[in-house]
Amino acid sequence: MKIGVLALQGAIQDHERVLRRLGAVTVQVRHPSDLEGLRGLILPGGESTVMAMYLREYGLDSAIRARVVDGLSVFGVCAGAILLCTEVEGPEGVVSGALALLGVRAIRNAYGRQLSSFEEPVDFEGSPFPGIYIRAPRFIPIGSTEVLGRRPPARGGEPVLLRQAGILAASFHPELSGNDGIHRMFLQSCKS
Ligand code: GLN
């Protein structure tokens, strides 16, 4: 099964390693033609403003949007998740996400300076998943999204892993956790 990893900027190799470990063939996506024959696409973490700029420059925003609307499964991590959100709140106010496919408002760098990176268990399918947050966004669902993972109840139980049909979004970095469970779940959705 061929799975693409958007390779414009950011943490590409860690996703490729996990995907290969799980038996997928990986393709680095830089141009619309790289999307041919893919069953799924990962949008990695990095800097969402830079990635959004390159997406537009290479015509990848409309190409990816069309493929996802047509049923391509997509998994956005941190900055990659921000690209998927319909609304993105940042220093410049609220703007539309570059792909605007997921009914969520993302608040960029929501956990502030001191807390801009931290580790904390995510409550995922009833068991703790190692959550690694790096200048993570906060998610506010504004559409009919399914919450698959939350911060601990003592931290307010905010949603950090969301699904809407074939679209999956995490505000933390599962590719750095050593636990392949979330990538495995994503690959299942690419098969169906
Ligand atoms: N803060 C970054 C952004 O807003 C995301 C950080 C990350 O992907 N780890 O794009």
Side-chain angles (χ1 to χ4, degrees), residues 63-92:
I64 292 174
R65 204 180 299 118
R67 283 294 313 273
V68 174
V69 168
D70 202 36
L72 178 73
S73 293
V74 65
F75 179 19
V77 171
C78 201
I82 294 171
L83 300 174
L84 288 169
C85 292
T86 47
E87 295 181 4
V88 177
E89 188 178 321
E92 58 293 308

Side-chain angles (χ1 to χ4, degrees), residues 44-49 51 77-80 82 108-109 133-137 171 173:
E47 183 54 46
S48 58
T49 50
M51 279 199 261
V77 171
C78 201
I82 294 171
R108 295 183 56 221
N109 303 321
Y133 297 81
I134 305 169
R135 295 173 56 240
S171 61
H173 287 262

Side-chain angles (χ1 to χ4, degrees), residues 61-128:
D61 52 353
S62 49
I64 292 174
R65 204 180 299 118
R67 283 294 313 273
V68 174
V69 168
D70 202 36
L72 178 73
S73 293
V74 65
F75 179 19
V77 171
C78 201
I82 294 171
L83 300 174
L84 288 169
C85 292
T86 47
E87 295 181 4
V88 177
E89 188 178 321
E92 58 293 308
V94 179
V95 296
S96 174
L99 297 170
L101 287 159
L102 177 69
V104 171
R105 174 180 288 201
I107 306 178
R108 295 183 56 221
N109 303 321
Y111 297 109
R113 258 207 181 155
Q114 284 110 321
L115 278 178
S116 53
S117 296
F118 61 98
E119 291 189 36
E120 181 184 271
V122 174
D123 180 3
F124 171 60
E125 294 181 331
S127 42

Side-chain angles (χ1 to χ4, degrees), residues 148-170:
L148 302 183
R150 293 184 178 279
R151 294 190 69 197
R155 301 293 169 100
E158 291 171 13
V160 291
L161 181 65
L162 294 168
R163 183 164 62 191
Q164 178 191 301
I167 303 172
L168 187 64

